[in-house]
Amino acid sequence: MSVTQVVDPCTGIEFISTVGNKIDIYPNPSDGQLILKLSQDAQAMIVDVFSKVVYDNFLNAGSVSLNMVGIENGVYFIKATMSGRAFVKKIVIRK
């Protein structure tokens, strides 16, 4: 008995360029004072682990200071949407 297996050639993986789209966040962990460095204007949203929105605003490119001192200690996610692409980073608030 013989078995023949036909395999289609791999068509490749699409490369999504992120050149020009960059977000840096520091310090992380933070005491609530965050600095965001954005390469482009972005819609920024910060949510907690339960998806509760704690911040939502449009930010201009460059260095932006966010005062998040009023939120509880914990893990949060910042979603920055630039040029139609969303970038998500984890931040930790520890006071």
Side-chain angles (χ1 to χ4, degrees):
M1 173 180 204
S2 73
V3 177
T4 304
Q5 182 175 1
V6 178
V7 179
D8 289 333
C10 181
T11 58
I13 299 172
E14 180 183 352
F15 177 73
I16 299 174
S17 174
T18 59
V19 174
N21 297 325
K22 187 171 180 187
I23 177 172
D24 290 321
I25 304 168
Y26 59 91
N28 192 13
S30 171
D31 62 0
Q33 294 288 343
L34 292 168
I35 304 292
L36 276 64
K37 290 181 93 176
L38 302 167
S39 62
Q40 297 181 17
D41 295 347
Q43 181 66 38
M45 178 187 300
I46 299 176
V47 297
D48 65 13
V49 294
F50 301 108
S51 298
K52 178 183 173 192
V53 177
V54 296
Y55 180 87
D56 189 8
N57 205 355
F58 183 82
L59 303 175
N60 292 319
S63 288
V64 178
S65 177
L66 293 182
N67 182 348
M68 305 303 292
V69 174
I71 65 173
E72 298 292 321
N73 288 345
V75 175
Y76 295 84
F77 298 93
I78 181 164
K79 175 183 170 186
T81 304
M82 295 181 253
S83 302
R85 291 208 164 105
F87 301 87
V88 178
K89 291 204 174 187
K90 180 174 81 170
I91 54 177
V92 177
I93 302 295
R94 187 182 327 154
K95 302 174 210 165

